[in-house]
Amino acid sequence: MKLQQLRYIWEVARHDLNVSVTAQSLYTSQPGISKQIRLLEDELGVEIFSRSGKHLTRVTPAGEAILQIVGDILRKVESIKQVAQEYNDEHKGSLSIATTHTQARYVLPPVIQRFIDDYPDVSLHMHQGTPIQISEMAADGTVDFAIATEAMELFGDLIMMPCYAWNRSVIVPKGHPLTQSPLTLEKLAAFPLVTYVFGFTGRSKLDDAFVNHGLTPKVVFTAADADVIKTYVRLGLGVGIIATMAYDEEVDSNLVRLDASHLFEPSITKIGFRRGTFLRGYMFDFLQKFAPHLTKELVEEAISRNTRSELEGLFQDVEIPSY
């Protein structure tokens, strides 16, 4: 059994069983990959992939179990490389982050700018996606850090740490009736709403608030991008509900922002990484730049906690900022 063979089956699985595309991504030949996969299967005595003629059709049950172990092995190999790089040059490397549009557009820019100033030789890679996509990218090693607010149950294999609390604002055109009196859920529910797709940017807290008051809001348009939501509010499609951080006083001067923090429970944005990941010095520094309370000592303490309840207990008395 060779490490190269394990990498081949892992990459083939990641590329939807397309050996040709896998070969291109690894700068090798398709026949070479196919041969090595067959040799590995012969050695193990089981098929990792089912076939129809020359084409791979699915991962077998045995293959699923094998690939799970292979993923752990390859991540350990990557950690070994990270250790070596840390001792060779602690200021050179790469950092990949998966997050949502709101984080990438409104929260991360100043953090990224400070990080680049301090680590000009570290290449940064930003991936945007749904909570499911973010968790998958972090779990399979595509990215180093996952930043998310919603669907925390998807991140069970990651060490997720609280960064900050935030709430929502209602946005309307100037002169809108909602600007004339105190904002309530009942008044809000009387208008068509434009807000986030379910599963994005604290949407569950929003839905829960209406349900708990026996209200059924009319959501006429949803989007994952706060800028898109604001565009359709300007067009008169409805009343917008967005993360307060996504309102820009200069850019959005033609919209009125109404604080809605008294209507909805605050949401907590978290950052996390795979258990067993070797964190380089600049990774610890990025964590603290993004969330100042995440000191190296606190992060190392979080790594030592074995269960989610233990991890939550660690941060129970830690004060986090609010936006």
Side-chain angles (χ1 to χ4, degrees), residues 4-16:
Q4 181 190 54
Q5 293 172 328
L6 301 183
R7 190 173 300 281
Y8 282 170
I9 63 172
W10 177 257
E11 292 297 330
V12 166
R14 288 185 65 223
H15 287 89
D16 298 321

Side-chain angles (χ1 to χ4, degrees), residues 164-181:
Y164 61 87
W166 59 271
N167 216 309
R168 297 144 194 80
S169 287
V170 168
I171 52 170
V172 294
K174 291 181 178 179
H176 192 278
L178 284 178
T179 64
Q180 307 305 315
S181 58

Side-chain angles (χ1 to χ4, degrees), residues 222-252:
T222 63
D225 185 330
D227 292 332
V228 173
I229 293 171
K230 289 183 284 188
T231 295
Y232 283 90
V233 171
R234 292 186 182 98
L235 291 175
L237 193 64
V239 171
I241 304 177
I242 62 173
T244 299
M245 68 190 82
Y247 179 82
D248 186 311
E249 290 187 359
E250 293 185 7
V251 176
D252 303 321

